[in-house]
RNA sequence: UGCCCGAUGGUGUAACGGUAGCACAGCAGAUUCUGAAUCUGCUUGUCAUGGUUCAAAUCCAUGUCGGGCAACCA
């Protein structure tokens, strides 16, 4: 295994500045963040940014980051998503922040996370360690679930009612919309706003008991219908939903809203910094109001917002990704063209590359568009250091080297990784008949073309220089074969090995090559902004986002090592598709192409 | 047009009242048994206008532009 890159300096951003200041001022003596996805879709690279931020902060400040399923809407959530989220988080932070992953003992619920005398985080009243890295071996751990807090959330709502700060409202959804006013016009008080605490308590209990149908009543905060912030205009806290919840089953028929459940979940878990995206900025006054209204003890969690990731040549919202999946525009959530974490993983992108990317793009409140070239560059850099070099021909053109006797096998030595001598070398068979890529031969070539042309010479990497003597065509005039001479004295290590030619190309021995399907992935969309000016992103799908070819590979590729990345020399980084590749029928996926200065040159012309 | 937030090269980000830096992209060259990698060099920026100050990207005011907010979603 190559040694890890030297430890990068810890990142710095305005959120980490706040965290550091809160420690310096003594406001907090420990740091606790959380990553709270709703299990209604797969995680994508935007979530990766958030994961790296939240776990990165925990790591940097010796704290913990809880994984919490924000599952307060039974109609949208599913255990398939819970499982995928767990997998993706484990993979992304594996070996990096696993020690900071906050989980809880399976079944432990309604537990307040507190710090014990020895500094360990435990669930109060339970006493069990909940940090994954600290857990006793064999302890079954699971993420936190907002739905586990149903009981305590309900109690908090009751207290709010008792304090006269919440009321049961009989307005329908449409009526509530009318009463809310508009951003420019103040709203009107609900006619049910004046109900007594006793009446509210009774009604809320009956809501819970299932006496009313869906939508019949809500529990609302009593704040200010004239507030310029519409989220403060007596927002709904609980709604009636007679629905099966993926976790609590039919135990509850009332479910808390995000604005009610989230700040309280944070507080229950002892979260110190609740980091979320910009669209929740206007919710922050409500977040703070709720914690204050319940008179909860300091230090209270603080919500901080940052800009979500926007990446070129892709779409990012769960809704659109779901659409791609449901309309079979891709093969699934883990299609290697998807910006999902599972898609990127299957594509062959290392977790470390995603982490490096998350750090590289920074954290601010500016809503920008990140150039996908940054991601591509980081993936190449990461792979370049670890990938084993291999020879592979994607579009084979046979070359017969007439001066090599049929049946003779010349073993040439090839380096595994030029940047890592310890990776060693391997033998590659070189014979009379080889395949080269069609791109590496031109019958009529421009002056700056360095590869093979009639009468020209080129070096076969690791072997020797060859000369093209004859071009064989079929009836249609297509080039079907080349015949040439191997200049054996120019062999690597041979007497004329120092001879210079402009070009060096890759090749495989025709008789030794193995056949394999190779999937050449490219950007999913042809436009950097798929939805620019309101256009339907489906109209700019890249028809060449997955090009499948039958390739000829050097024999060493018959045996691949799990989790190993390969560079097909001069082409790009590849690895066996973890789902579809078998020993009988190898399937390789291109993670990313190599930079191609020649392609750029020809594109200019 | 009510409230909230933001604005630094093409893109993303740093500079926390004192030399506008870094990365990507781009361009030019060196090197190369990968037209990769590596190495050199270069181009390009503080939204505008006022104000405070010895000194402003930074503080203040106004404007401009961009984003967010009116689910019983999160």
């Amino acid at each position: 295994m190559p040694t890890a890159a030297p430890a990068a300096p810890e990142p710095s951003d305005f959120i980490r500045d706040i965290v550091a200041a809160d420690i310096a001022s003594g406001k907090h003596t420990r740091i606790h963040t959380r990553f709270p996805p709703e299990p209604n879709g797969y995680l994508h690279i935007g979530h990766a940014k958030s994961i790296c931020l939240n776990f990165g902060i925990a790591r940097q400040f010796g704290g913990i980051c809880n994984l919490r399923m924000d599952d307060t809407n039974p109609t949208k959530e599913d255990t398939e998503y819970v499982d995928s989220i767990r997998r993706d988080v484990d993979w992304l932070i594996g070996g990096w922040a696993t020690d900071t992953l906050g989980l809880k003992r399976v079944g432990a619920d309604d537990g307040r996370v507190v710090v014990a005398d020895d500094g360990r985080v435990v669930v109060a009243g339970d006493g069990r360690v909940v940090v994954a890295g600290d857990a006793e071996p064999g302890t079954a751990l699971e993420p936190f679930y907002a739905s586990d807090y149903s009981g305590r959330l309900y109690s908090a709502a009751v207290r709010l009612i008792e304090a006269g700060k919440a009321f049961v409202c009989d307005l329908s959804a449409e009526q509530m919309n009318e009463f809310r006013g508009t951003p420019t016009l103040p709203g009107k008080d609900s006619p049910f706003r004046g109900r007594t605490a006793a009446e509210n308590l009774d009604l809320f209990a009956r809501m819970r008991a299932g006496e009313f149908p869906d939508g019949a009543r809500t529990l609302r905060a009593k704040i200010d219908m004239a507030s310029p912030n519409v989220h403060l205009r007596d927002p709904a806290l609980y709604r009636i939903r007679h629905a099966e919840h993926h976790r609590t089953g039919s135990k509850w028929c009332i479910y808390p809203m995000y604005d009610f459940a989230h700040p309280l979940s944070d507080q229950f878990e002892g979260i110190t910094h609740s980091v979320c995206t910009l669209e929740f900025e206007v919710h922050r006054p409500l977040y703070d109001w709720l914690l204050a209204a319940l008179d909860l003890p300091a230090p209270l969690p603080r919500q901080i917002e940052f800009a979500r990731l926007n990446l070129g040549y892709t779409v990012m919202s769960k809704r659109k990704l779901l659409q791609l999946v449901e309309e079979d525009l891709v093969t699934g959530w883990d299609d290697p063209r998807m910006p999902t974490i599972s898609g990127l993983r299957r594509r062959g992108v290392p977790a470390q590359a995603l982490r490096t990317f998350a750090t590289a793009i920074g954290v601010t409140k500016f809503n920008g568009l990140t150039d996908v070239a940054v991601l591509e560059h980081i993936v190449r850099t990461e792979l370049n250091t670890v990938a084993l070099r291999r020879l592979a021909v994607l579009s084979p053109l046979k070359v017969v080297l007439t001066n090599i006797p049929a049946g003779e096998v010349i073993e040439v030595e090839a380096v595994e990784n030029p940047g890592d001598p310890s990776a060693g070398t391997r033998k590659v068979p070189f014979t009379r008949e080889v395949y080269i890529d069609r791109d590496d031969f031109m019958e009529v070539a421009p002056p700056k073309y360095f590869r093979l042309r009639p009468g020209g010479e080129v070096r076969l990497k690791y072997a020797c220089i060859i000369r093209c003597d004859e071009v064989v065509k079929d009836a249609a005039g297509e080039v079907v074969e080349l015949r040439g001479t191997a200049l054996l004295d120019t062999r690597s290590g041979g007497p004329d090995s120092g001879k210079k030619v402009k070009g060096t190309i890759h090749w495989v021995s025709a008789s030794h090559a193995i056949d394999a399907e190779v999937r050449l992935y490219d950007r999913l969309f042809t436009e950097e902004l798929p939805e620019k000016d309101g256009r339907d992103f489906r109209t700019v799908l890249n028809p060449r986002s997955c090009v499948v070819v039958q390739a000829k590979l050097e024999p060493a590729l018959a045996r691949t090592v799990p989790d190993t990345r390969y560079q097909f020399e001069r082409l790009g980084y590849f690895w066996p598709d973890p789902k579809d590749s078998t020993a009988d029928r190898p399937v390789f996926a291109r993670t990313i192409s190599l930079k191609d200065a020649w392609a750029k040159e020809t594109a200019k012309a």
Side-chain angles (χ1 to χ4, degrees), chain A residues 211-228:
Chain A
E211 286 189 26
F212 313 116
D214 284 4
R217 292 180 219 263
T218 56
L219 181 73
R220 292 226 262 164
K222 195 188 286 188
I223 309 180
D224 177 10
M225 289 307 290
S227 170

PDB file of all heavy atoms in Angstrom, chain A residues 211-228:
ATOM      1  N   GLU A 211     -58.602  10.533  17.285  1.00  0.00           N
ATOM      2  CA  GLU A 211     -60.031  10.859  17.170  1.00  0.00           C
ATOM      3  C   GLU A 211     -60.375  11.652  15.913  1.00  0.00           C
ATOM      4  O   GLU A 211     -61.538  11.738  15.536  1.00  0.00           O
ATOM      5  CB  GLU A 211     -60.476  11.666  18.400  1.00  0.00           C
ATOM      6  CG  GLU A 211     -60.599  10.826  19.655  1.00  0.00           C
ATOM      7  CD  GLU A 211     -61.249  11.602  20.794  1.00  0.00           C
ATOM      8  OE1 GLU A 211     -62.023  12.542  20.505  1.00  0.00           O
ATOM      9  OE2 GLU A 211     -60.963  11.278  21.954  1.00  0.00           O
ATOM     10  N   PHE A 212     -59.352  12.238  15.297  1.00  0.00           N
ATOM     11  CA  PHE A 212     -59.649  13.116  14.159  1.00  0.00           C
ATOM     12  C   PHE A 212     -58.963  12.612  12.888  1.00  0.00           C
ATOM     13  O   PHE A 212     -57.897  12.015  12.942  1.00  0.00           O
ATOM     14  CB  PHE A 212     -59.174  14.547  14.449  1.00  0.00           C
ATOM     15  CG  PHE A 212     -59.580  15.046  15.809  1.00  0.00           C
ATOM     16  CD1 PHE A 212     -58.623  15.360  16.770  1.00  0.00           C
ATOM     17  CD2 PHE A 212     -60.934  15.184  16.139  1.00  0.00           C
ATOM     18  CE1 PHE A 212     -58.988  15.805  18.025  1.00  0.00           C
ATOM     19  CE2 PHE A 212     -61.302  15.632  17.393  1.00  0.00           C
ATOM     20  CZ  PHE A 212     -60.337  15.948  18.344  1.00  0.00           C
ATOM     21  N   PRO A 213     -59.583  12.892  11.753  1.00  0.00           N
ATOM     22  CA  PRO A 213     -58.982  12.458  10.488  1.00  0.00           C
ATOM     23  C   PRO A 213     -57.789  13.337  10.092  1.00  0.00           C
ATOM     24  O   PRO A 213     -57.598  14.422  10.644  1.00  0.00           O
ATOM     25  CB  PRO A 213     -60.129  12.616   9.484  1.00  0.00           C
ATOM     26  CG  PRO A 213     -60.988  13.691  10.049  1.00  0.00           C
ATOM     27  CD  PRO A 213     -60.902  13.536  11.546  1.00  0.00           C
ATOM     28  N   ASP A 214     -57.039  12.840   9.106  1.00  0.00           N
ATOM     29  CA  ASP A 214     -55.888  13.580   8.592  1.00  0.00           C
ATOM     30  C   ASP A 214     -56.289  15.011   8.244  1.00  0.00           C
ATOM     31  O   ASP A 214     -57.310  15.240   7.598  1.00  0.00           O
ATOM     32  CB  ASP A 214     -55.353  12.920   7.308  1.00  0.00           C
ATOM     33  CG  ASP A 214     -54.571  11.651   7.612  1.00  0.00           C
ATOM     34  OD1 ASP A 214     -54.514  11.264   8.796  1.00  0.00           O
ATOM     35  OD2 ASP A 214     -54.037  11.063   6.657  1.00  0.00           O
ATOM     36  N   GLY A 215     -55.477  15.946   8.661  1.00  0.00           N
ATOM     37  CA  GLY A 215     -55.682  17.326   8.249  1.00  0.00           C
ATOM     38  C   GLY A 215     -56.749  18.074   9.013  1.00  0.00           C
ATOM     39  O   GLY A 215     -56.945  19.261   8.790  1.00  0.00           O
ATOM     40  N   ALA A 216     -57.442  17.382   9.927  1.00  0.00           N
ATOM     41  CA  ALA A 216     -58.551  18.049  10.626  1.00  0.00           C
ATOM     42  C   ALA A 216     -58.074  19.150  11.559  1.00  0.00           C
ATOM     43  O   ALA A 216     -58.708  20.197  11.681  1.00  0.00           O
ATOM     44  CB  ALA A 216     -59.364  17.022  11.408  1.00  0.00           C
ATOM     45  N   ARG A 217     -56.968  18.930  12.209  1.00  0.00           N
ATOM     46  CA  ARG A 217     -56.439  19.930  13.138  1.00  0.00           C
ATOM     47  C   ARG A 217     -54.920  19.908  13.124  1.00  0.00           C
ATOM     48  O   ARG A 217     -54.299  18.921  12.692  1.00  0.00           O
ATOM     49  CB  ARG A 217     -56.894  19.639  14.569  1.00  0.00           C
ATOM     50  CG  ARG A 217     -58.369  19.819  14.820  1.00  0.00           C
ATOM     51  CD  ARG A 217     -58.685  19.504  16.284  1.00  0.00           C
ATOM     52  NE  ARG A 217     -59.942  18.782  16.397  1.00  0.00           N
ATOM     53  CZ  ARG A 217     -61.112  19.387  16.672  1.00  0.00           C
ATOM     54  NH1 ARG A 217     -61.184  20.669  16.875  1.00  0.00           N
ATOM     55  NH2 ARG A 217     -62.200  18.673  16.743  1.00  0.00           N
ATOM     56  N   THR A 218     -54.351  20.976  13.593  1.00  0.00           N
ATOM     57  CA  THR A 218     -52.900  21.038  13.777  1.00  0.00           C
ATOM     58  C   THR A 218     -52.607  21.643  15.126  1.00  0.00           C
ATOM     59  O   THR A 218     -53.460  22.326  15.707  1.00  0.00           O
ATOM     60  CB  THR A 218     -52.220  21.936  12.720  1.00  0.00           C
ATOM     61  OG1 THR A 218     -52.821  23.228  12.763  1.00  0.00           O
ATOM     62  CG2 THR A 218     -52.326  21.345  11.321  1.00  0.00           C
ATOM     63  N   LEU A 219     -51.409  21.387  15.594  1.00  0.00           N
ATOM     64  CA  LEU A 219     -50.931  22.138  16.756  1.00  0.00           C
ATOM     65  C   LEU A 219     -50.050  23.238  16.196  1.00  0.00           C
ATOM     66  O   LEU A 219     -49.201  22.978  15.331  1.00  0.00           O
ATOM     67  CB  LEU A 219     -50.101  21.253  17.695  1.00  0.00           C
ATOM     68  CG  LEU A 219     -49.600  22.019  18.937  1.00  0.00           C
ATOM     69  CD1 LEU A 219     -50.747  22.290  19.904  1.00  0.00           C
ATOM     70  CD2 LEU A 219     -48.475  21.250  19.641  1.00  0.00           C
ATOM     71  N   ARG A 220     -50.286  24.458  16.653  1.00  0.00           N
ATOM     72  CA  ARG A 220     -49.528  25.585  16.129  1.00  0.00           C
ATOM     73  C   ARG A 220     -48.836  26.368  17.237  1.00  0.00           C
ATOM     74  O   ARG A 220     -49.345  26.485  18.350  1.00  0.00           O
ATOM     75  CB  ARG A 220     -50.480  26.547  15.417  1.00  0.00           C
ATOM     76  CG  ARG A 220     -51.063  25.967  14.132  1.00  0.00           C
ATOM     77  CD  ARG A 220     -50.972  27.014  13.054  1.00  0.00           C
ATOM     78  NE  ARG A 220     -52.194  27.722  12.864  1.00  0.00           N
ATOM     79  CZ  ARG A 220     -52.263  28.881  12.192  1.00  0.00           C
ATOM     80  NH1 ARG A 220     -51.159  29.462  11.757  1.00  0.00           N
ATOM     81  NH2 ARG A 220     -53.416  29.462  12.004  1.00  0.00           N
ATOM     82  N   ALA A 221     -47.706  26.918  16.914  1.00  0.00           N
ATOM     83  CA  ALA A 221     -47.034  27.806  17.858  1.00  0.00           C
ATOM     84  C   ALA A 221     -47.792  29.125  17.871  1.00  0.00           C
ATOM     85  O   ALA A 221     -48.361  29.529  16.856  1.00  0.00           O
ATOM     86  CB  ALA A 221     -45.589  28.042  17.425  1.00  0.00           C
ATOM     87  N   LYS A 222     -47.817  29.764  19.010  1.00  0.00           N
ATOM     88  CA  LYS A 222     -48.468  31.064  19.105  1.00  0.00           C
ATOM     89  C   LYS A 222     -47.370  32.130  19.150  1.00  0.00           C
ATOM     90  O   LYS A 222     -46.768  32.374  20.187  1.00  0.00           O
ATOM     91  CB  LYS A 222     -49.332  31.117  20.375  1.00  0.00           C
ATOM     92  CG  LYS A 222     -50.328  32.274  20.390  1.00  0.00           C
ATOM     93  CD  LYS A 222     -51.020  32.405  21.743  1.00  0.00           C
ATOM     94  CE  LYS A 222     -52.068  31.315  21.967  1.00  0.00           C
ATOM     95  NZ  LYS A 222     -52.859  31.569  23.206  1.00  0.00           N
ATOM     96  N   ILE A 223     -47.116  32.717  17.992  1.00  0.00           N
ATOM     97  CA  ILE A 223     -46.022  33.694  17.950  1.00  0.00           C
ATOM     98  C   ILE A 223     -46.535  35.057  17.469  1.00  0.00           C
ATOM     99  O   ILE A 223     -46.939  35.881  18.289  1.00  0.00           O
ATOM    100  CB  ILE A 223     -44.839  33.206  17.066  1.00  0.00           C
ATOM    101  CG1 ILE A 223     -44.425  31.779  17.484  1.00  0.00           C
ATOM    102  CG2 ILE A 223     -43.632  34.148  17.223  1.00  0.00           C
ATOM    103  CD1 ILE A 223     -43.288  31.184  16.692  1.00  0.00           C
ATOM    104  N   ASP A 224     -46.579  35.280  16.162  1.00  0.00           N
ATOM    105  CA  ASP A 224     -46.963  36.617  15.693  1.00  0.00           C
ATOM    106  C   ASP A 224     -47.382  36.553  14.233  1.00  0.00           C
ATOM    107  O   ASP A 224     -46.536  36.422  13.353  1.00  0.00           O
ATOM    108  CB  ASP A 224     -45.784  37.586  15.871  1.00  0.00           C
ATOM    109  CG  ASP A 224     -46.103  38.975  15.327  1.00  0.00           C
ATOM    110  OD1 ASP A 224     -47.280  39.237  15.001  1.00  0.00           O
ATOM    111  OD2 ASP A 224     -45.166  39.795  15.231  1.00  0.00           O
ATOM    112  N   MET A 225     -48.684  36.666  13.984  1.00  0.00           N
ATOM    113  CA  MET A 225     -49.185  36.572  12.614  1.00  0.00           C
ATOM    114  C   MET A 225     -48.793  37.777  11.762  1.00  0.00           C
ATOM    115  O   MET A 225     -48.991  37.773  10.553  1.00  0.00           O
ATOM    116  CB  MET A 225     -50.712  36.417  12.612  1.00  0.00           C
ATOM    117  CG  MET A 225     -51.194  35.063  13.092  1.00  0.00           C
ATOM    118  SD  MET A 225     -50.430  33.661  12.230  1.00  0.00           S
ATOM    119  CE  MET A 225     -51.158  33.799  10.596  1.00  0.00           C
ATOM    120  N   ALA A 226     -48.236  38.785  12.383  1.00  0.00           N
ATOM    121  CA  ALA A 226     -47.843  39.971  11.614  1.00  0.00           C
ATOM    122  C   ALA A 226     -46.332  40.007  11.393  1.00  0.00           C
ATOM    123  O   ALA A 226     -45.818  40.966  10.816  1.00  0.00           O
ATOM    124  CB  ALA A 226     -48.282  41.239  12.338  1.00  0.00           C
ATOM    125  N   SER A 227     -45.653  38.973  11.823  1.00  0.00           N
ATOM    126  CA  SER A 227     -44.193  38.987  11.683  1.00  0.00           C
ATOM    127  C   SER A 227     -43.780  39.097  10.214  1.00  0.00           C
ATOM    128  O   SER A 227     -44.367  38.453   9.342  1.00  0.00           O
ATOM    129  CB  SER A 227     -43.601  37.709  12.271  1.00  0.00           C
ATOM    130  OG  SER A 227     -42.227  37.625  11.938  1.00  0.00           O
ATOM    131  N   PRO A 228     -42.777  39.902   9.930  1.00  0.00           N
ATOM    132  CA  PRO A 228     -42.277  39.977   8.547  1.00  0.00           C
ATOM    133  C   PRO A 228     -41.652  38.654   8.104  1.00  0.00           C
ATOM    134  O   PRO A 228     -41.519  38.404   6.914  1.00  0.00           O
ATOM    135  CB  PRO A 228     -41.230  41.101   8.588  1.00  0.00           C
ATOM    136  CG  PRO A 228     -40.894  41.269  10.028  1.00  0.00           C
ATOM    137  CD  PRO A 228     -42.090  40.847  10.819  1.00  0.00           C
TER     138      PRO A 228
END
